[in-house]
Amino acid sequence: MSDETSDETAICSAKGCRADAVWVLAWNNPKIHTPERRKTWLACDEHREHLSQFLGVRGFLKDVVTLAEWESSAADR
């Protein structure tokens, strides 16, 4: 699972999935990360809800945005 997206095709982070990613799930573990730190998982449409729930029940999920929105906001920084 990646902290960054790259110029290569972004692939879903779900185990065994090789589909193109459409979503970015921004998260952090407050026990080990500073509050502003954002780790990312990528998700296809099929796995977005499952991965969001996995992070959400642990209190890690901070944001879910489209990959295009994430890349656009990264370019603005």
Side-chain angles (χ1 to χ4, degrees):
M1 307 207 187
S2 174
D3 279 327
E4 301 176 15
T5 57
S6 70
D7 292 335
E8 297 178 16
T9 302
I11 301 297
C12 180
S13 298
K15 186 175 182 177
C17 185
R18 303 305 301 158
D20 290 347
V22 179
W23 299 96
V24 174
L25 288 66
W27 63 278
N28 81 0
N29 179 340
K31 291 183 180 179
I32 60 174
H33 301 125
T34 59
E36 65 279 353
R37 172 99 187 260
R38 292 296 179 266
K39 305 274 290 176
T40 58
W41 283 358
L42 303 177
C44 63
D45 281 330
E46 181 181 348
H47 291 111
R48 181 185 61 88
E49 186 62 31
H50 171 74
L51 293 173
S52 293
Q53 286 180 357
F54 180 90
L55 292 168
V57 298
R58 290 158 178 79
F60 294 174
L61 187 62
K62 302 301 178 191
D63 201 10
V64 178
V65 297
T66 66
L67 181 58
E69 288 176 281
W70 184 264
E71 290 173 337
S72 176
S73 68
D76 293 341
R77 290 182 233 165

